[in-house]
Amino acid sequence: MTSVPLVPDIPAPPVIALRGVGLTYPGPPPVHALRPCDLVVRRGEFVTIIGPSGAGKSTFLNIIGLLDRHTSGTYELDGTDTGPLRDGDRTALRGRRVGFVFQSFHLLPHRTTCENVALALVYRGVGRRERMARAEQALRQVGLGARIHALPTTLSGGERQRVAIARALVGNPSLLLCDEPTGNLDTATADSILELIDELHRSGMTVLVITHDPAVALRGDRTLEIRDGLMTDRVAA
Ligand code: ADP
């Protein structure tokens, strides 16, 4: 008699699974901002997306981050088909699964670094004491344990981006989604932020970075290119 395992060995779903996902703005004339594309990003991967201005990078990011709805295909985030979700459920899924890092850090100037990071947990129903403890831990993780009471205005650009990364991490997301994360930083500071992103990836985080900078794109395990709304695998030169 063959034995049936009590707990079947079901592999975890990919973090991102796109099948024929595209977005066309109706116009007139219609704009094919993202042409139908297929993509699978597995847990722990570091994928970079490169393309010139107007290529469709923001459109792609907004779809992946559940900020915009795709107009064709299916998008599963962590095994959840996002197409049928209502706005409130999309917002909740985004809050639990996606940590955003933007070029401009979007910190509240009159709140301490710890409060800025803790704010990301307010809508998760986490009590204040625990929010602050988790924020402090996230700040330590990005090397800012000594600056938890500082105001963002007293920090350097690189430190502000570290706070923004801590805020993205504090909710323990499945995906770190970065839009030109070094766009506002000088080269040396940019390198240290890219090192931090590498380190997070090495510790198991799934990372997607959108950039126009080939040096940043090279950091990924895999680079995709978007041109005129069309996404393709970039073959190393
Ligand atoms: P990127 O981020 O690479 O600069 P975008 O994703 O912002 O590119 O834009 C891709 C294309 O979609 C561009 O041609 C842009 O003009 C167009 N586009 C973006 N948003 C809209 C919109 N709301 N309505 C119509 N066209 C848009």
Side-chain angles (χ1 to χ4, degrees), residues 176-196:
L176 190 64
L177 186 53
C178 309
D179 187 14
E180 301 283 4
T182 57
N184 272 341
L185 304 173
D186 62 73
T187 312
T189 311
D191 277 349
S192 78
I193 291 296
L194 292 170
E195 276 302 312
L196 172 60

Side-chain angles (χ1 to χ4, degrees), residues 122-205:
V122 165
Y123 299 106
R124 302 276 295 272
V126 181
R128 181 178 156 83
R129 192 185 290 258
E130 185 177 343
R131 283 203 302 273
M132 295 305 270
R134 284 171 63 178
E136 207 177 312
Q137 204 245 323
L139 283 163
R140 278 200 296 272
Q141 195 182 353
V142 300
L144 282 184
R147 307 305 308 273
I148 57 173
H149 301 301
L151 291 175
T153 44
T154 67
L155 301 178
S156 69
E159 287 172 329
R160 287 181 204 189
Q161 192 59 305
R162 281 173 192 268
V163 177
I165 292 173
R167 181 185 53 195
L169 294 174
V170 72
N172 197 20
S174 314
L175 174 68
L176 190 64
L177 186 53
C178 309
D179 187 14
E180 301 283 4
T182 57
N184 272 341
L185 304 173
D186 62 73
T187 312
T189 311
D191 277 349
S192 78
I193 291 296
L194 292 170
E195 276 302 312
L196 172 60
I197 291 173
D198 269 345
E199 211 177 280
L200 294 169
H201 163 237
R202 283 196 300 272
S203 67
M205 177 59 68

